[in-house]
Amino acid sequence: MAPHLATPSRTLDVGSADAPSVGWMRGAHQHVGLDLFPDGLRPGEGVVGSATELPFGDGTFDVVSAFDVVEHCADDARAVSELQRVLVPGGRMLLSVPAYQWAWSDHDVQAGHHRRYTRAGIVGVVEGAGMEVRRATYAFGGVFPLFAAERLRRRLRPPAAGDSRLPEVSPGLDRALMGVCRAEARLLRRRDLPFGSSVFVAAVRPSSARP
């Protein structure tokens, strides 16, 4: 996603409450974080609000991001349209969503998800909002076999009601999995992945209306 950040004057991150995962978006520019809940928002730059009714004027931001957010919105088309609305012409939209409806489990229910996506599915929503998709790729393909096995296990042996915990990972396995993800990050600089547990999208708001 970093190459699509470019050199913005103002950025908006929706839904992550300024989590460490968006620290790379920070810089000399103005950064705004928005979330439904105030916990984690930074004083002076955090705004409480909804992704489907952004409290900003049209064309306010050069970059908007929503990582693992759109799947929480009952009306995902409205959420993406709102992200598009607050972008300047030529502004960039950065998204991630969970992949594959067949991977739906009790964990999605507990997390408040409404759906999971294929790459074509989320691209359709983004293009439906008038955006031009510059890149769309699956991610976390290196750990995908473990993800698929875990989801299959949850389907065959559902956890107790209300227990949405994911499997605990030993420090050694954690280091190994993080190593796989770092290697994949280098690969993603050069090419897209054909499968993975998430989909990442970078899109641009056209600078002028199409004829």
Side-chain angles (χ1 to χ4, degrees):
M1 297 285 100
H4 299 281
L5 187 63
T7 55
S9 297
R10 186 177 294 139
T11 59
L12 169 68
D13 178 64
V14 175
S16 70
D18 200 39
S21 61
V22 295
W24 58 273
M25 291 182 64
R26 293 190 161 278
H29 58 271
Q30 181 184 9
H31 180 76
V32 178
L34 178 140
D35 203 284
L36 281 172
F37 306 102
D39 295 346
L41 290 172
R42 293 192 178 190
E45 66 178 40
V47 177
V48 176
S50 169
T52 56
E53 293 186 34
L54 294 175
F56 308 107
D58 296 356
T60 301
F61 298 97
D62 301 295
V63 177
V64 297
S65 63
F67 299 121
D68 290 344
V69 170
V70 174
E71 69 274 11
H72 292 272
C73 301
D75 190 344
D76 56 350
R78 179 177 174 85
V80 174
S81 292
E82 276 290 276
L83 297 174
Q84 186 263 12
R85 179 184 65 79
V86 301
L87 275 174
V88 299
R92 284 84 65 197
M93 180 187 297
L94 310 178
L95 303 177
S96 69
V97 292
Y100 304 123
Q101 192 63 29
W102 59 256
W104 185 269
S105 75
D106 61 292
H107 181 71
D108 292 282
V109 175
Q110 294 292 331
H113 294 173
H114 287 272
R115 67 197 71 78
R116 301 178 70 93
Y117 295 84
T118 60
R119 177 167 53 188
I122 187 59
V123 165
V125 175
V126 172
E127 290 181 338
M131 299 290 293
E132 294 180 354
V133 173
R134 295 295 173 85
R135 191 177 185 195
T137 178
Y138 288 101
F140 304 111
V143 297
F144 185 73
L146 295 177
F147 164 79
E150 191 274 336
R151 288 307 169 101
L152 178 61
R153 181 191 65 80
R154 295 179 81 90
R155 183 165 294 181
L156 296 176
R157 189 183 300 173
D163 182 6
S164 61
R165 293 174 297 176
L166 294 176
E168 293 186 7
V169 178
S170 68
L173 181 57
D174 181 66
R175 287 192 295 271
L177 294 176
M178 289 301 295
V180 171
C181 290
R182 284 191 293 270
E184 180 178 293
R186 292 191 291 271
L187 178 63
L188 280 167
R189 295 172 190 167
R190 302 187 302 274
R191 62 183 61 184
D192 296 339
L193 297 183
F195 59 85
S197 60
S198 292
V199 187
F200 284 79
V201 178
V204 174
R205 178 176 179 175
S207 296
S208 59
R210 295 176 180 174

